[in-house]
């Protein structure tokens, strides 16, 4: 007589290949990494000049720029640490293949969310600084007119 089939929770889950999982994550994160590099080189320095010209460096809304700087200053290091951890897990943790997909998906969502939050705060910073800067420029232009 044949033994009964195993219960559903006793069957091992199929394990997705590492190449497929990391390829999927790379495809999703490539635009975010490109946007991170572009923002770090172009957008954030201009945003800091606008923020300073508007006189907001000591305002109560400093946390907006602080959050933007936090993500862009620490993002490179955190991504590097994450890559090292993934390499160590892949090499030394026997149960990693079964958990790889969930962890990589979670990390991908966190990185995308951090970038979205940072860019949203950067946009809010510009929207806060623009009227103040426009007012200062208007006052400066009226002083020089005869």
């Amino acid at each position: 007589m044949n033994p009964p089939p195993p219960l559903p929770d006793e069957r091992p889950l199929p394990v997705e290949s590492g190449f497929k999982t990391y390829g999927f994550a790379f495809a999703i994160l490539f635009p975010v990494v490109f946007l991170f590099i572009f923002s770090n080189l172009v957008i954030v320095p201009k945003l800091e000049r606008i923020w300073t010209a508007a006189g907001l460096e000591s305002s109560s809304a400093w946390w907006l720029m602080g959050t933007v700087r936090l993500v862009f200053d620490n993002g490179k290091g955190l991504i590097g640490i994450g890559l090292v951890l993934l390499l160590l897990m892949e090499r030394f943790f026997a149960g990693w293949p079964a958990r790889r997909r969930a962890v990589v998906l979670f990390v991908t969502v966190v990185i995308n969310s951090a970038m979205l939050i940072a860019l949203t705060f950067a946009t809010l910073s510009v929207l806060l600084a623009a009227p103040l800067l426009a007012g200062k420029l208007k006052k400066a232009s009226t002083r020089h007119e005869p």
Side-chain angles (χ1 to χ4, degrees), residues 5-136:
L7 295 173
D9 59 337
E10 294 178 9
R11 292 182 188 162
L13 294 173
V15 177
E16 189 174 74
S17 74
F19 182 74
K20 185 176 179 183
T21 302
Y22 293 125
F24 178 72
F26 177 77
I28 290 176
L29 288 177
F30 180 74
V32 173
V33 170
F34 176 76
L35 187 59
F36 175 82
I37 293 168
F38 176 75
S39 297
N40 210 11
L41 294 175
V42 177
I43 295 174
V44 173
K46 288 184 181 187
L47 176 61
E48 287 176 339
R49 278 182 285 197
I50 291 170
W51 191 263
T52 303
L56 290 172
E57 60 272 349
S58 61
S59 73
S60 61
W62 64 269
W63 59 272
L64 283 170
M65 278 302 293
T67 304
V68 172
R69 287 294 349 149
L70 175 76
V71 171
F72 287 105
D73 287 345
N74 299 317
K76 294 172 277 202
L78 292 175
I79 289 172
I81 289 171
L83 288 175
V84 168
L85 286 175
L86 287 175
L87 288 171
L88 291 174
M89 296 282 242
E90 198 68 48
R91 176 79 173 124
F92 297 111
F93 184 50
W96 176 245
R99 294 167 181 82
R100 179 190 304 132
R101 184 176 183 185
V103 172
V104 170
L105 176 65
F106 176 75
V107 169
T108 303
V109 168
V110 168
I111 291 171
N112 277 316
S113 299
M115 189 65 188
L116 183 62
I117 289 168
L119 289 177
T120 301
F121 282 7
T123 304
L124 290 174
S125 298
V126 169
L127 291 175
L128 182 65
L132 298 172
L133 187 58
K136 285 186 175 190

